[in-house]
Structures are given as structure tokens and as C-alpha cells.
Amino acid sequence: AGRAPPSVHLQPRSAAQRGGGGRAMGSEAGGPRATAPGQQLRALFYVLPPGESSFRTVEEVPDYVEKSIPFFIAFIVLEFAVSWVQKRKLSGRINDGISSLSLGILSRLPDVLFRSVDLISYIYVWNNYRLFELPWDSPWTWYLTLLGVDFAYYCFHRISHEVNILWAAHQVHHSSEDYNLFTALRQSVLQKYTSWIFNLPMALFIPPSVFAVHLQFNLLYQFWIHTEVITNLGPLEWILNTPSHHRVHHGRNPYCIDKNYGGTFIIWDRIFGTFEAEDAKVVYGLTHPVNSFDPIMLQLRPLAHIWNTFWATPGFCDKLSVIFKGPGWGPGKPRLGLPEEIPVITGKEVPFNPSVPAYLNCYAVVHFAVIMDLYTELLGTVTTLSQGTIFLRIGFIILSLTSFGLLMENRQDTKPGILEIIRCLVFVGVYKLGYLRSQFSSLGYAYEV
């Protein structure tokens, strides 16, 4: 977890060329190879062998992330069922689940307009600066890339916790006080614009087609480890990143802070001294909880805090330290702050969970489902839309996600209700004018009602 799903569109898009974020990889050059459901399921667990996942060109590489969406849904449903059997309670809450999904959608909206910096930068270095070329069809290249991508992720992930300006983006993923498969989809809009740097050394010798496969596999693997229903995996705990190890990473207990950065493997944490085994019951979330479901606020408030702290801190060097040292740093403190300042966990912490009437929960779920429909339809038709229509749809989606977040907070003022009324009026207007479309034409009248 910790970065948005990759896309491998390689050139800036014109209005006629734009494809939806998460469109099939390499579709400009004849399209990707198809993957069977069994292959897709194995890709989710990083057990698709080199013989089935090696490609000569980037254009042939399937979009494993997009094709995994049905499995995401299936595993979320399965997690709810297993959690109910084990504990007689569901594995998540409506408000937090909608918040996580909203942040996931928000993180993917830039991909509708722009192409991923991950592969653009990688292919640029490969085309202009590569030192030598490893064979794309060699199992040795495949396994070397597996290790290289995961080590690059470990380095990026660790520095994202230790540099304040990078943490301001990454903290979005840690802001949930629940720990379930919804949390895996809780992503930052900004983080992808810094993570690409760590992959560039591999572009000196590893073909882009091999890198494009492992960039996705490394991401997909991290989906299923966001769960409490799997306790311990025995000997695999020594090598792989598992739900137990990743629960520690998401904890705000003092023993959990800045531990277990690995993506697929836990070996890097064991080598570099950042490993911690699960011990006391983990309390999830940020050390200083945000207490909000507003996706825009969750994305931007840490940046506002850095801005205010920067100007309030005297001295040029200390101002730079506000940006480039740890989020717990202050004048006179070590680079990563003082461990004793981390709030003590009592075990009685209560997640932010405002009481909301049942009808309002139902309202939010139904309307969020409508937005999911409109979002999916946008991805599927983006190549046929004008730039103005695309911006209008993106703006309406952002407005809707913000409104849902504020409704779930059950604030005592009237602003969320007024915003929702405005949102509904905007919807009726733009839907009547044809700027919004559902995938299901038969639902058009129902949506207006």
C-alpha cells in the first residue's frame, strides 16, 4: 500500500487519444494480451510465474490492476463474511468505508487526464541512458526485477515516513482507524509524483516491459494483507510481508511507529533494522487522528500544517527542517522526533464514529453507488468526450465525494445539508443537459428522482 495503481500510457494525450485511468495497458499499439481469471487471481498474490507474465514490449503487458477489480469486490465481501463468522461483527463501518473508497477514486482521477509518471520516466531513462539490456524473456531478469521493485518500494516507503513533505502525502493511507480491505484502496493523490524516482536505477538495465509487470504485481500483493481475519502464516512470516506484519505498520502504538515498510518481502526490514513483530493489540490510524471523512481535507490538511509551521518557525535551517526532517521533528529534537512524545495507547481508544441516522447511511450508500456508476462510465467513454465535459464530470465527482464525507461527520451546522442540496440540483441540471451519463440508460429517470 502507499501508491496509486499504475498506468502505462507513454505519451501526453490529446482529446482524441485520452483513455480512462486504468485502461488496458499498451492499447495504443494493438492492445495487451488477455489474462484468464485464474491467471488474474494468481497475479493478485504474486504467484504468476515468469513463463506466464513475461512480455517483449510494454504494449503487450495486461492491465492486471484494472482486471483485478472483480476480485477486490469478491474479497471484500468474503472478508465481511469471515469477520462475521469469527467475531459476530462486520470488518468495517459505512462511514470509514465510503471515506476509503472516496480517497481511492480521488487518487485515480488524475489518470483520466494525464499519463503515469512511473513508466514515462522509466522509459525515458531506458531509451536514453541504459548501460546494457537484460533479456526480457529470462527468468533471471524476472526474479531480479521482483527484488528490485520491492527494494525500491521499501526505500520509497521508508523515506515517506521519515521526510515530512512526503509523509504529508503518504499519511492519507494511514488515516483510517479501521483495518480492512477498504483501507488498501485508501490512497494519496500526490504520492505517485515522488515514488517514480526510486525506480529509475533499474531503467539502466531492466526492460520496461518487465518493470511494468512487477510494478503492478507489487501493488496488487499489498491489497490482501490489509485484513484482520488472517492471523499468522507460519514460516512465511520470515520472508513475506503478511497481514500480521502490515497490521504493525498501520498501528499507532509506540512499538509500531516506523516499522515494517516492505511491500512483498519483509526481508528488507529484517536487514535494515525496521522489523517489528505483532505483539500488543494494534490500534490503527495516525498518532494524532484527523477525525474527518472529508476526502479533500484528508488529502490537503497536512500540507496546510507544514505551510503554517514553516512560516511560524524562525531560522532558515529550521524552516528547511520542517520540510525535510521527520513529521515529529521540532527545534532541538532529533531528526525523527522524540519517541516519548508519541501518545500512549491505553487500549480504550474509540475511533471517530459520529452517530448517523440509519436513513442517512442508506442515503449515502445509494448515492455513492450512483457516483461509482458515473465514474466507471467516465473511464469507459473518456476517449469520446471533450475536455470541458471531462473536467465537468471530474468536478462533479469531487463535489459528491466531499459532500458524502461531510454528511458522514454529522456536523451540527447546516453546511453539509446545503452542500448536498446544491450537489443534487447540479446533478439534475447537468444530467438533463447530457453532460453526465449512466452506464445503465434504464436508470436515468430513477437517478433524476
Side-chain angles (χ1 to χ4, degrees), residues 6 25 33-50 52-55 61-72 75 142 146 212-225 263-264:
M25 302 175 73
R33 295 184 186 178
T35 55
Q39 288 180 311
Q40 192 60 50
L41 180 61
R42 285 182 285 136
L44 193 62
F45 294 93
Y46 222 136
V47 289
L48 198 60
E52 297 181 66
S53 56
S54 296
F55 306 93
V61 178
D63 190 337
Y64 291 104
V65 173
E66 182 182 12
K67 294 177 185 298
S68 293
I69 291 175
F71 291 102
F72 293 164
F75 278 113
W142 195 95
L146 183 157
V213 168
H214 288 279
L215 187 65
Q216 295 188 84
F217 284 1
N218 188 271
L219 172 68
L220 288 173
Y221 180 90
Q222 295 176 61
F223 171 74
W224 72 272
I225 61 177
T264 301

Side-chain angles (χ1 to χ4, degrees), residues 1-12:
R3 62 172 176 249
S7 170
V8 294
H9 304 300
L10 306 183
Q11 301 296 332

Side-chain angles (χ1 to χ4, degrees), residues 2 96-97 99-101 103-104 172-177 182-188 292-293 298:
D96 191 80
S99 177
S100 292
L101 292 173
L103 289 163
V172 172
H173 182 64
H174 286 261
S175 59
S176 174
E177 294 178 274
F182 282 125
T183 309
L185 306 176
R186 195 180 188 96
Q187 299 293 337
S188 167
S292 177
F293 300 121
L298 288 168

